[in-house]
Amino acid sequence: MNHDEAFHTILEAKYARIISEISEMHGIPIETAAGIFYNSDTMQLIEEGVADLHCRSDKYLAEEIWAEWQDKNMYHTSGI
């Protein structure tokens, strides 16, 4: 396994933990949490290695992704 494959495997495990954290923190189904995660800008930044976000705790990233989702949801529902 080369470095890129190993890093991707580690990221996939981290993604699963973040999704689980979102689900547990907010009492939502794992599928809903996965949708929130995979549609987040933060997930894309983690994937790109921006600011070493992958080094942050799963809980921190789950909170950031939830806040991002709330901001987007509020933006879309308020008609701003």
Side-chain angles (χ1 to χ4, degrees):
M1 182 181 292
N2 68 34
H3 178 267
D4 289 339
E5 290 171 341
F7 184 70
H8 187 69
T9 300
I10 291 168
L11 274 186
E12 288 298 321
K14 184 160 192 73
Y15 294 167
R17 292 190 309 270
I18 294 167
I19 291 166
S20 179
E21 190 75 42
I22 293 168
S23 174
E24 290 175 21
M25 286 169 52
H26 301 287
I28 60 174
I30 200 83
E31 295 83 7
T32 303
I36 291 168
F37 174 78
Y38 283 111
N39 289 298
S40 71
D41 295 335
T42 303
M43 182 270 183
Q44 189 62 42
L45 295 174
I46 296 167
E47 184 83 14
E48 294 170 4
V50 173
D52 289 331
L53 285 173
H54 63 279
C55 296
R56 301 287 179 119
S57 75
D58 300 337
K59 184 172 181 143
Y60 172 84
L61 291 168
E63 290 171 345
E64 287 297 310
I65 290 164
W66 183 259
E68 176 188 331
W69 179 79
Q70 285 185 311
D71 287 347
K72 283 182 182 177
N73 213 25
M74 185 179 289
Y75 176 78
H76 290 303
T77 59
S78 68
I80 297 173

